[in-house]
Amino acid sequence: MLKYFWLLLLLIPLACFLPSESETVNQTDTPAVDRPAIQSVNLKQHLDYLSAPERRGRAPGTPAGQASAQYIVNKFKEYGLKPGGANGDYLQPFDIKMLKLGENNSLSFKIGGTTKSLKIGVDFLPLNFSAGRMLADILLVEAGFGITAPEFQYDDYRNKEVKDKVVLIMSGLPESILITNTRYSDLGVRVLNAQQRGAKGVIILLTADPKTVGKIVSENAVWENHLPEPITKRLNSPEAKQKHLTSRSMTLSAQSRLNQPKIPITIPVVLITNPEIVEVLSKSSAGEDLVSLQTDIADEVVYHTENVIGILSGAEPEAVILGAHYDHLGVDADGDIFPGANDNASGVAGLLELVRACREPLQGKLSESIPAKTKQKRTLVFIAFGGEELGLYGSRYYTEHPVVPLNQTVAMLNMDMIAVPKELNQMYLIGGLFNPELAQAVKEENKNIGLTIKDNIDFVFKFGSDHYSFHQKKVPSIDFTTGPFGAEHTVQDTSDKVQPEMAKKIIELVLATALRIADSDLHFPEPKNIEVPFPTGGKHPGAPMPVDKNKSH
């Protein structure tokens, strides 16, 4: 599961993961229906292979990672799936790229006849979504917070002409717009507003918390050679060794979470934080001050890896996607191997067993209303994703290059860490607040399986695993997991800790849900556009209250 995700979990009270009666789906006495058999012995065989020392932690771009992908390819072939990758193969190759700063980044101001040059990484940094450009002696114009919000009768650009000028804006929000309004707290939205008005560049005054005055701390400005202080602190902590955190992995993870503007930014954008220059610029005289700015930014391919895709064609073109990531953390500088047995050899083992089960003739009924058929109505697409631990890179690549058009993809069911439950027979279903109808379909199928389903941790829905890439493309998606277990992202995540019988039950639930959807006309509403805040305090009050992003605050 995504490396940075577990860093966030450290901030969450343990009570949030404890049982809550109102969130539990109790076991029932409903007789089990006939369905293709999931074999725990097969699950254990796959899991042992993928987490063996010879796999060396399955890191992207390594021979062991490629061998793991080939193992999945061989199983897809053995089970008779059609290739879904590039050039008639099962592999969908892609590059993992990191944004890097070049040597030619500079920023200077001419204010009142005096030239002031700023130092990169100390006084200023380009934003990750900035374009690489060079500007010389361009007029500077101040534009408040850079916000145009008609619903609040608020416009920082009223009676201001910014065409062909560099716009100076402040971070933060005006008092008339609440911080919970995520649209206007998004710096990308504000930069795009300036760009669409003809601005040649944007400078953002980082008016941050007093604790970070003079420090550049922004989720939009993370560079391997200029990391924000919170990340450098983690890299210098004992946890870095324990969880194999490196400057590269942390940079890739942070950059992967960048909220890219909907329209590409074609102008240079920088943050400045030097308290003295911030004070001077906040009193800038429009039409008199000049700025010279150069941003030097490039993509560097740091890993080449692949997704593995197999297809079980249905009678109709619509599809259901079943996915699990196969990559993990590899080997650290001391030669310690991170096996990733539960994370996520367990999910891939489940994926492979799903394929085998779906290829067997179906007997009996899958549910009370859906008769079994030898060929399901909708296509099933099985995907083992690469590059998840570094930032959901494989699933994001697939959503940009789908085998089945996303508008014909009915649902995505993801499996990530499914074999080490916190309590007997208990699993978490992540995504129910975003996709309540899909979650309900899962719970209805669970009546014949009897798992205890917890659905109270949707605050980890974003970026937790590959389901989120599909959510971003408005595909209903949900994640099946047994949740954190203490050994995730450590060398202790070994195969002796997994419980194949638990994984078997979860896979039975995934299979029943997938076939329920694939052999019916079920369609789900577009995922809800909400924010589920991380809980605070020591006692979990129940399901977090979602914030509807479509409503004004």
Side-chain angles (χ1 to χ4, degrees):
M1 188 169 275
L2 178 63
K3 179 176 289 192
Y4 191 84
F5 168 81
W6 296 114
L7 297 177
L8 295 176
L9 288 188
L10 294 174
L11 307 176
I12 302 171
L14 177 61
C16 296
F17 296 97
L18 297 179
S20 172
E21 183 177 355
S22 63
E23 296 154 353
T24 300
V25 177
N26 294 322
Q27 298 182 29
T28 72
D29 294 326
T30 304
V33 296
D34 292 332
R35 59 171 56 87
I38 300 297
Q39 303 290 339
S40 57
V41 64
N42 294 339
L43 291 169
K44 188 66 165 65
Q45 179 183 353
H46 298 315
L47 194 150
D48 285 344
Y49 177 87
L50 290 168
S51 60
E54 292 80 8
R55 304 293 88 71
R56 299 186 62 78
R58 308 185 305 279
T62 65
Q66 293 169 345
S68 301
Q70 190 59 47
Y71 177 82
I72 301 166
V73 167
N74 294 342
K75 291 300 177 182
F76 280 6
K77 286 181 180 178
E78 178 184 336
Y79 297 147
L81 292 187
K82 289 171 49 180
N87 304 317
D89 195 359
Y90 291 91
L91 299 178
Q92 183 185 51
F94 63 94
D95 293 326
I96 296 178
K97 298 179 180 180
M98 184 172 68
L99 291 168
K100 295 195 71 175
L101 287 175
E103 297 181 356
N104 300 309
N105 287 277
S106 61
L107 176 61
S108 63
F109 298 93
K110 290 182 181 178
I111 302 173
T114 301
T115 298
K116 173 68 175 178
S117 297
L118 275 63
K119 185 177 180 181
I120 188 168
V122 177
D123 303 319
F124 82 98
L125 270 179
L127 266 65
N128 290 129
F129 56 70
S130 170
R133 294 286 187 275
M134 183 171 66
L135 305 174
D137 290 339
I138 305 297
L139 284 173
L140 187 67
V141 58
E142 180 274 330
F145 295 92
I147 293 172
T148 301
E151 67 272 36
F152 293 101
Q153 293 79 51
Y154 185 94
D155 187 1
D156 281 315
Y157 289 95
R158 186 178 293 116
N159 301 321
K160 291 187 178 180
E161 177 56 59
V162 299
K163 183 175 173 55
D164 294 329
K165 300 174 184 177
V166 172
V167 176
L168 179 70
I169 65 175
M170 295 181 289
S171 63
L173 288 173
E175 292 182 0
S176 58
I177 300 178
L178 298 180
I179 192 66
T180 51
N181 192 295
T182 55
R183 170 174 168 75
Y184 297 114
S185 61
D186 185 342
L187 291 181
V189 170
R190 300 195 229 177
V191 171
L192 190 56
N193 190 19
Q195 177 175 291
Q196 291 173 332
R197 294 170 182 272
K200 282 197 169 183
V202 175
I203 297 173
I204 302 171
L205 301 178
L206 193 60
T207 53
D209 185 294
K211 296 178 183 178
T212 61
V213 168
K215 302 172 184 176
I216 301 178
V217 180
S218 172
E219 62 184 7
N220 295 291
V222 180
W223 308 93
E224 187 177 24
N225 52 346
H226 295 290
L227 291 169
E229 186 179 53
I231 292 181
T232 58
K233 282 185 176 180
R234 288 190 176 117
L235 290 173
N236 292 324
S237 73
E239 184 189 32
K241 165 63 178 173
Q242 182 186 30
K243 294 184 178 289
H244 192 14
L245 304 178
T246 66
S247 59
R248 174 146 298 183
S249 69
M250 294 290 283
T251 301
L252 285 167
S253 180
Q255 289 185 356
S256 76
R257 300 191 311 279
L258 179 66
N259 188 18
Q260 290 283 1
K262 293 182 179 179
I263 299 175
I265 299 301
T266 59
I267 58 177
V269 186
V270 298
L271 289 171
I272 64 171
T273 188
N274 182 301
E276 295 178 2
I277 199 70
V278 166
E279 182 178 356
V280 171
L281 289 177
S282 64
K283 301 174 183 178
S284 174
S285 301
E288 299 179 6
D289 302 325
L290 301 176
V291 59
S292 294
L293 169 63
Q294 183 172 3
T295 50
D296 181 7
I297 299 169
D299 278 339
E300 178 184 329
V301 175
V302 291
Y303 301 110
H304 180 81
T305 187
E306 49 274 317
N307 297 323
V308 187
I309 307 174
I311 299 172
L312 182 58
S313 297
E316 297 182 2
E318 288 186 324
V320 179
I321 291 178
L322 299 104
H325 76 88
Y326 70 91
D327 65 299
H328 198 54
L329 306 184
V331 182
D332 69 12
D334 295 326
D336 293 326
I337 298 172
F338 291 73
N342 192 36
D343 183 15
N344 185 37
S346 67
V348 177
L351 185 72
L352 295 176
E353 185 60 1
L354 281 170
V355 175
R356 186 199 61 77
C358 286
R359 292 297 293 158
E360 291 185 352
L362 310 185
Q363 303 295 328
K365 291 186 176 181
L366 304 177
S367 72
E368 293 182 0
S369 59
I370 305 174
K373 297 180 181 179
T374 56
K375 185 173 185 178
Q376 77 286 348
K377 186 173 185 177
R378 289 166 167 157
T379 292
L380 296 175
V381 181
F382 300 87
I383 311 177
F385 297 108
E388 188 269 357
E389 298 288 11
L390 293 171
L392 314 185
Y393 285 93
S395 53
R396 184 176 298 112
Y397 185 86
Y398 175 86
T399 61
E400 294 167 353
H401 306 85
V403 172
V404 176
L406 296 182
N407 61 6
Q408 293 181 351
T409 301
V410 180
M412 190 274 180
L413 309 180
N414 190 61
M415 296 156 284
D416 197 342
M417 304 198 318
I418 61 169
V420 185
K422 293 183 72 65
E423 294 192 9
L424 183 66
N425 215 43
Q426 176 182 292
M427 63 156 284
Y428 292 94
L429 192 64
I430 301 177
L433 289 178
F434 299 84
N435 302 280
E437 294 83 4
L438 177 55
Q440 184 58 35
V442 175
K443 292 175 182 179
E444 288 177 5
E445 291 301 326
N446 186 50
K447 292 176 182 178
N448 294 314
I449 295 171
L451 285 163
T452 298
I453 295 180
K454 303 284 292 175
D455 58 1
N456 62 328
I457 60 170
D458 268 9
F459 47 86
V460 299
F461 178 78
K462 291 190 174 183
F463 302 103
S465 192
D466 291 302
H467 58 275
Y468 186 63
S469 296
F470 291 84
H471 172 79
Q472 289 182 300
K473 298 293 187 179
K474 300 184 179 181
V475 175
S477 57
I478 210 153
D479 186 40
F480 296 75
T481 181
T482 48
F485 62 105
E488 59 273 0
H489 287 197
T490 73
V491 295
Q492 282 80 42
D493 182 8
T494 49
S495 62
D496 59 301
K497 294 183 174 65
V498 304
Q499 299 179 25
E501 289 299 321
M502 181 64 195
K504 174 185 174 182
K505 284 191 173 185
I506 292 179
I507 294 306
E508 287 175 342
L509 179 56
V510 175
L511 175 63
T513 304
L515 294 178
R516 176 189 182 95
I517 299 169
D519 213 18
S520 73
D521 292 319
L522 273 174
H523 285 91
F524 303 103
E526 184 176 294
K528 293 181 181 295
N529 187 26
I530 58 175
E531 293 285 345
V532 182
F534 276 68
T536 57
K539 184 177 180 181
H540 183 40
M545 293 299 293
V547 177
D548 191 338
K549 294 174 68 177
N550 291 318
K551 295 182 179 179
S552 298
H553 297 268

